[in-house]
């Protein structure tokens, strides 16, 4: 019989997510707060918006994994449904960084307790009927997707350059 | 006894990589070739360079997985060791797109044949001694990392905007 590597692979997927999250935390600790108010490229999202976007996006894993309500439901409208720079900022970069850290700690504690059967079961946005047809629409796949989503935006964040004041 | 989900999870990881690769293929089929000679942001890498970079990076999975020599070793110097815009382009966007597709087809055919034990075994850049200490340094982890790497650069590619001619 083959060795069952399921638990090890799940751990590898969680480790990849945690490592990516840490890289993003480090990025937001590198410069002074005002720096993150810049756009990553001319006319594109500001770094502060992308941080809020990543919090709101990852926060949705709590209800999707049946782990409870999102910690910050008030961020959904601003950072998932509304483009950047359409309304005044209601949260500072320091406040968003605090939420990012709290969310990561909360998620990591949950992930640590989840068993193989939890990871391989359907996430709450897919019905039992659809899941029966597509068993890959499980919670682990959501985490793989969220990790890729983080990296996508981290790639953009690394382009951030300070605006040069026009004389 | 728990169900062994190993094969299913490995398939999910491969599917995530293939889906990301397809998204990038689609991106490079969207515009005319000349468009990809633009930088993704002022002073940053050009899209054509990032495509070459992704080919060279993914091509290294062939030797790392003990599947043979890289298909395009001549790309390593230009796209992994040399920054963009330091030497004249030797390949057109059409030539790079062809290589990207051939590489993806080649990798997918190999991945399709690899068994669980192959994925969970060490990649060739880690020694047997180190692998014994860190069994997560396996081939599957390389694919997870390469998928994240692709997404990182895809996030940057989406920022590409056509240069406005200065009158």
């Amino acid at each position: 019989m083959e060795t069952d590597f399921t638990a090890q692979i799940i751990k590898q997927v969680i480790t990849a997510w945690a490592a990516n999250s840490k890289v993003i935390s480090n990025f937001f600790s590198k410069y002074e707060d005002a720096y993150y108010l810049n756009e990553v490229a001319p006319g594109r999202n500001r770094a502060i918006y992308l941080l809020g976007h990543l919090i709101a996006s990852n926060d949705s894993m709590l209800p999707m994994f049946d782990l409870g309500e999102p910690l910050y439901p008030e961020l959904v409208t601003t950072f998932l449904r509304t483009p950047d720079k359409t309304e005044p900022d209601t949260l500072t970069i320091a406040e968003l960084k605090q939420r990012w850290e709290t969310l990561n700690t909360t998620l990591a504690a949950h992930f640590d307790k989840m068993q193989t059967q939890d990871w391989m079961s359907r996430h709450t946005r897919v019905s039992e009927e659809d899941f029966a047809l597509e068993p890959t629409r499980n919670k682990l796949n959501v985490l793989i997707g969220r990790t890729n989503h983080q990296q996508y935006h981290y790639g953009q964040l690394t382009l951030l350059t300070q605006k040069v004041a026009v004389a």
Side-chain angles (χ1 to χ4, degrees), chain A residues 149-163:
Chain A
H149 178 246
Q150 282 187 192
Q151 278 296 98
Y152 173 96
H153 288 300
Y154 179 58
Q156 299 175 335
L157 287 166
T158 62
L159 300 177
L160 186 66
T161 42
Q162 279 178 294
K163 271 180 189 160

Side-chain angles (χ1 to χ4, degrees), chain A residues 7-167:
Chain A
Q8 183 187 325
I9 304 181
I10 291 173
K11 206 175 162 191
Q12 288 184 220
V13 171
I14 298 172
T15 301
W17 164 77
N20 286 174
S21 301
K22 183 93 178 84
V23 164
I24 291 170
S25 297
N26 290 345
F27 175 80
F28 280 100
S29 302
K30 240 167 107 176
Y31 307 106
E32 293 194 17
D33 286 0
Y35 183 70
Y36 303 102
L37 300 176
N38 291 318
E39 297 166 337
V40 298
R44 302 304 179 127
N45 291 322
R46 294 170 304 151
I48 186 174
Y49 179 86
L50 288 178
L51 180 57
H53 176 73
L54 289 175
I55 298 167
S57 169
N58 287 357
D59 201 10
S60 70
M61 283 195 278
L62 290 170
M64 286 178 83
F65 291 4
D66 217 2
L67 298 168
E69 294 299 310
L71 300 185
Y72 310 111
E74 71 280 7
L75 300 188
V76 170
T77 303
T78 309
F79 294 107
L80 292 182
R81 297 192 186 138
T82 314
D84 189 19
K85 296 167 279 181
T86 43
E87 48 186 52
D89 293 332
T90 52
L91 291 167
T92 64
I93 188 78
E95 288 165 336
L96 285 169
K97 279 167 66 174
Q98 182 57 56
R99 282 161 176 71
W100 170 253
E101 294 306 332
T102 303
L103 177 63
N104 282 339
T105 309
T106 304
L107 289 171
H110 280 299
F111 293 172
D112 203 40
K113 280 183 231 141
M114 284 170 70
Q115 303 295 310
T116 296
Q117 294 293 343
D118 299 323
W119 285 111
M120 302 312 289
S121 64
R122 72 180 174 93
H123 64 76
T124 62
R125 286 189 193 165
V126 65
S127 70
E128 283 184 35
E129 294 72 29
D130 288 345
F131 184 67
L133 298 171
E134 293 181 78
T136 60
R137 299 179 70 179
N138 50 41
K139 297 181 174 82
L140 190 70
N141 226 37
V142 174
L143 185 61
I144 292 171
R146 285 299 192 283
T147 305
N148 283 327
H149 178 246
Q150 282 187 192
Q151 278 296 98
Y152 173 96
H153 288 300
Y154 179 58
Q156 299 175 335
L157 287 166
T158 62
L159 300 177
L160 186 66
T161 42
Q162 279 178 294
K163 271 180 189 160
V164 179
V166 177

